[in-house]
Amino acid sequence: AVTNAYPAIRKEFEQIVAEGLSLPQYHEVDSGERAISSTTPKRWNVFLLECLGCKVEANRMRCPETCRALARVPNMIQAFFSILDPGKSVPEHEGPYLGYLRYHLGLRVPKQNPPKIVVNSQEYVWKEGEAVLFDDSWPHSVVNHSDEMRAVLIVDVRRPLPFSADIVNRFVTDVVGRYAYGRPVVRKATQFAKE
C-alpha cells in the first residue's frame, strides 16, 4: 500500500521541502541516536509522523495522503521522513531492538554518485519509488558522497514472531515502548513542528 502510494507521498514530501521548514536533526528528537546522527559532518534531519501509536499531528496535517497509506500498514511501530544533507554519511550501527523490521521507500535519490546503505555487508542503492525491507538489528551504515539531498520514508513494522515471543514483543512495543520512548520522542518532534 505504501509503495503504491509513492507518487502522492513524493508530492507531499516535496511540498514540505518547498516550504523550507526548519526540521530537527535525528538526535534532537531522539537523543539515543546522537552517536550516529551527530558524529559525521552535515545534517540528518527527520520529519516524524508517528511513533509507537503517538502522533505528531502538526506534521501529519501536512501529508494526509502519506498518513492514509500508513494507516493501512499492519503492526506499524513508527514512520518518518529521513533526509540526509549532501555528503552526509551514517556510521555503522545496529538498531536498538530486535522486535521490528525497517522499510525504506526512496523519495529523492541523487542520480550522480547515489548514496547506498550497507546492511550486513550487502550494498543497496536507493531508487526513487522503490522500497526495501531489512533487519535493522544487523550492522548497517550509509555511504553518501553525493552532492544532493537523499530522502526516504522509513516505516518500522513489528517483526513476525512465534505466538509467545509475539506477545512479549507487543508488550514491549505497545506498553513499555510507548511510554518510555514514543511519547518523549513525539513530544520533542511536536515542539519542533510548532517553531
Side-chain angles (χ1 to χ4, degrees):
V2 175
T3 307
N4 291 340
Y6 163 74
I9 295 170
R10 170 72 185 254
K11 183 177 179 182
E12 289 179 341
F13 170 76
E14 291 298 343
Q15 182 60 39
I16 291 165
V17 172
E19 290 178 26
L21 302 175
S22 178
L23 302 180
Q25 295 185 73
Y26 200 175
H27 62 273
E28 292 176 318
V29 296
D30 180 356
S31 59
E33 304 296 346
R34 184 171 303 279
I36 60 170
S37 173
S38 68
T39 54
T40 57
K42 306 197 178 176
R43 293 176 63 95
W44 178 3
N45 295 332
V46 295
F47 187 82
L48 187 68
L49 299 169
E50 182 172 343
C51 183
L52 293 162
C54 304
K55 299 175 179 178
V56 185
E57 295 299 343
N59 288 353
R60 293 171 64 84
M61 287 172 44
R62 294 181 182 276
C63 41
E65 293 302 318
T66 301
C67 292
R68 191 168 291 120
L70 292 171
R72 296 194 297 268
V73 176
N75 300 313
M76 188 175 78
I77 291 178
Q78 73 172 343
F80 60 96
F81 293 123
S82 167
I83 304 118
L84 297 180
D85 274 357
K88 172 67 173 180
S89 292
V90 179
E92 186 173 82
H93 61 285
E94 297 171 11
Y97 181 59
L98 294 169
Y100 65 91
L101 298 173
R102 179 155 280 186
Y103 164 100
H104 281 190
L105 175 64
L107 297 177
R108 194 192 278 190
V109 181
K111 295 193 177 20
Q112 295 292 323
N113 207 5
K116 63 186 173 184
I117 187 167
V118 183
V119 181
N120 208 24
S121 302
Q122 293 187 331
E123 296 182 358
Y124 172 79
V125 176
W126 289 282
K127 294 174 183 64
E128 293 177 359
E130 183 175 287
V132 63
L133 183 71
F134 65 95
D135 188 333
D136 185 63
S137 69
W138 290 349
H140 59 284
S141 62
V142 173
V143 179
N144 181 13
H145 302 298
S146 70
D147 56 7
E148 297 176 63
M149 170 196 297
R150 186 246 50 183
V152 300
L153 173 65
I154 292 179
V155 183
D156 292 337
V157 293
R158 190 177 293 111
R159 180 191 296 271
L161 293 169
F163 179 77
S164 58
D166 185 58
I167 295 295
V168 172
N169 193 24
R170 287 176 184 273
F171 176 76
V172 170
T173 57
D174 297 351
V175 179
V176 178
R178 178 173 295 169
Y179 295 98
Y181 177 76
R183 283 187 172 180
V185 166
V186 165
R187 193 175 304 120
K188 289 178 187 173
T190 298
Q191 289 172 347
F192 277 97
K194 290 178 178 176
E195 291 179 359

